[in-house]
């Protein structure tokens, strides 16, 4: 047996406190290292029935080989005679198994070198597994971290036992990420790698808004108010559709809070990002009207509503068109994401022109056919009689009518 003292156990306890690695993992690693060193000492890759045993009370460790007690020994590596076994244990009988210490002399230095390598590897594996398990549970949730640095446009965020990566596409446009600042991020994905797991986080994910509302609005946490859908363009604007499962609770009012206290906290967390809270409705017309707020809506016509497409035609007052569409189409784009409906918005004047256009087009097409017939007749007369000719004014008139007809059709 090799005396190792109490220092190992103290180191195990320290590792367990700092990194959460169990003391049993370290002890098992040390025993495996002893067996590996023993095999190297014998210069054999496979040595059956060999194990290392650590006595925590005495602080000693040794290598033991299990042998079967037999009357006639045929394989000394696996068997032992009853007489020799009695010297180890008086109560042993035939067909019993006994453990015989086979720790080589001057084995301490060799074992220590092997143990260092094995224990280091096992600690890394155990730490990697702990991080992987922890963040697999956190995947899809909100967590708080500290910004470490910015590398190649990626923000490195420490979120506890590891550093997470926030890619550029998961950052809020225009946001300045300063080292040392605390930041609330969404754990987007956890990738298993050869070293520590790679954790991908987001500061622009729409689920961050959901988590913030769940934290700030007790009615959502209790299930009284339900978030049906979220559409977000990070750093600019978010639309969130909510409904109440209790007729006595106003879903929008609960999210806003007394004097806007709840929504203001969330807006502050999102760096003054605009948030529209709309009421969800099973009625698609009502839902679309709510989603397009703050614009006023004149009418909503459902063009298609099936498993393949959902399309709606919306008419708004002339002075509300730009508000309904939003800057760069943002309002209607978010409404589309929120409701799942493809929305075509026109002003009242545009819609009036569209109603008149089909009749106008039919008239012009009919006139165009008349003009074409007249030209054909004149051409036929020229070929047949060779006497008639169109003067320049008639030709210009005919061509002018033709061009007007084509222009009206294109309109």
């Amino acid at each position: 047996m090799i005396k190792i003292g109490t220092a190992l156990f103290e180191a195990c306890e320290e590792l367990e406190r700092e990194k959460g690695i169990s003391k049993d993992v370290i002890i098992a690693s040390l025993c495996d290292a002893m067996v590996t060193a023993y095999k190297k000492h014998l210069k054999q890759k496979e040595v059956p029935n060999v194990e290392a045993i650590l006595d925590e009370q005495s602080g000693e460790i040794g290598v033991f080989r299990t042998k079967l007690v037999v009357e006639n020994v045929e394989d000394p590596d696996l068997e032992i005679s009853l007489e020799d076994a009695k010297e180890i244990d008086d109560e042993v009988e035939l067909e019993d198994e006994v453990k015989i210490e086979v720790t080589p002399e001057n084995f301490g230095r060799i074992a220590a070198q092997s143990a260092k390598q094995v224990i280091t590897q096992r600690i890394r594996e155990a730490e990697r597994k702990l991080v992987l398990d922890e963040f697999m549970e956190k995947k899809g949730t909100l967590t708080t971290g500290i910004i470490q640095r910015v590398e190649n446009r990626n923000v490195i965020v420490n979120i506890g036992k590891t550093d997470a990566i926030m890619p550029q596409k998961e950052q809020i446009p225009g946001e300045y990420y300063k080292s040392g600042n605390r930041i609330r991020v969404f754990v987007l994905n956890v990738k298993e790698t050869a070293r520590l797991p790679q954790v991908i986080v987001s500061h622009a994910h729409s689920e961050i808004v959901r988590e913030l509302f769940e934290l700030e609005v007790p009615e959502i946490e209790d299930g009284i108010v339900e978030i049906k859908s979220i559409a977000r363009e990070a750093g600019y604007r978010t639309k969130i559709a909510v409904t109440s499962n209790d007729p006595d609770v106003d879903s929008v009012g609960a999210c806003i809070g007394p004097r806007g206290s709840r929504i203001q906290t969330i807006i502050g967390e999102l760096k003054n990002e605009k948030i529209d809270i709309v009421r969800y409705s099973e009625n698609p017309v009502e839902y679309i009207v709510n989603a397009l707020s703050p614009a006023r809506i004149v009418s909503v016509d459902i063009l298609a509503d099936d498993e393949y497409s959902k399309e709606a035609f919306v008419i708004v007052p002339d002075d509300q068109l730009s508000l309904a569409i939003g800057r760069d189409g943002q309002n209607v784009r978010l409404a589309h994401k929120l409701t799942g409906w493809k929305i075509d918005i026109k002003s009242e004047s545009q819609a009036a022109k569209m109603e008149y256009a089909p009749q106008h087009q039919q008239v012009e097409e009919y006139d165009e056919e008349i003009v074409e017939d007249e030209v054909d007749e004149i051409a036929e007369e020229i070929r047949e009689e060779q006497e008639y000719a169109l003067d320049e004014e008639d030709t210009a008139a005919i061509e002018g009518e033709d061009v007007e007809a084509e222009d009206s059709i294109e309109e």
Side-chain angles (χ1 to χ4, degrees), residues 6 20 24 39 43 77 93 105 180 186 207 211 223 246 276 296 300 302 323 332 355 366 387 402:
T6 60
D24 296 336
K39 291 178 181 180
K43 297 181 180 180
D77 291 335
E93 297 179 358
E105 296 182 2
F186 182 78
E207 287 300 311
E211 292 277 351
D246 187 340
D276 294 340
R296 299 195 313 275
V300 177
I302 303 300
L323 184 61
V332 68
E355 291 176 0
Y366 176 77
E387 295 180 357
D402 196 6

Side-chain angles (χ1 to χ4, degrees), residues 181-223:
N181 285 358
R182 298 184 70 84
I183 185 173
R184 189 169 288 180
V185 292
F186 182 78
V187 182
L188 196 63
N189 196 10
V190 181
K191 297 180 180 179
E192 189 172 358
T193 62
R195 302 181 68 181
L196 287 176
Q198 186 181 78
V199 183
I200 310 297
V201 297
S202 172
H203 197 211
H205 200 278
S206 60
E207 287 300 311
I208 291 179
V209 180
R210 183 187 299 274
E211 292 277 351
L212 290 174
F213 270 93
E214 290 178 354
L215 289 172
E216 295 296 331
V217 183
E219 289 84 354
I220 294 178
E221 183 69 23
D222 296 338

Side-chain angles (χ1 to χ4, degrees), residues 52-63:
I53 299 176
L54 175 65
D55 188 346
E56 295 190 27
Q57 293 183 350
S58 63
E60 294 180 330
I61 188 171
V63 181

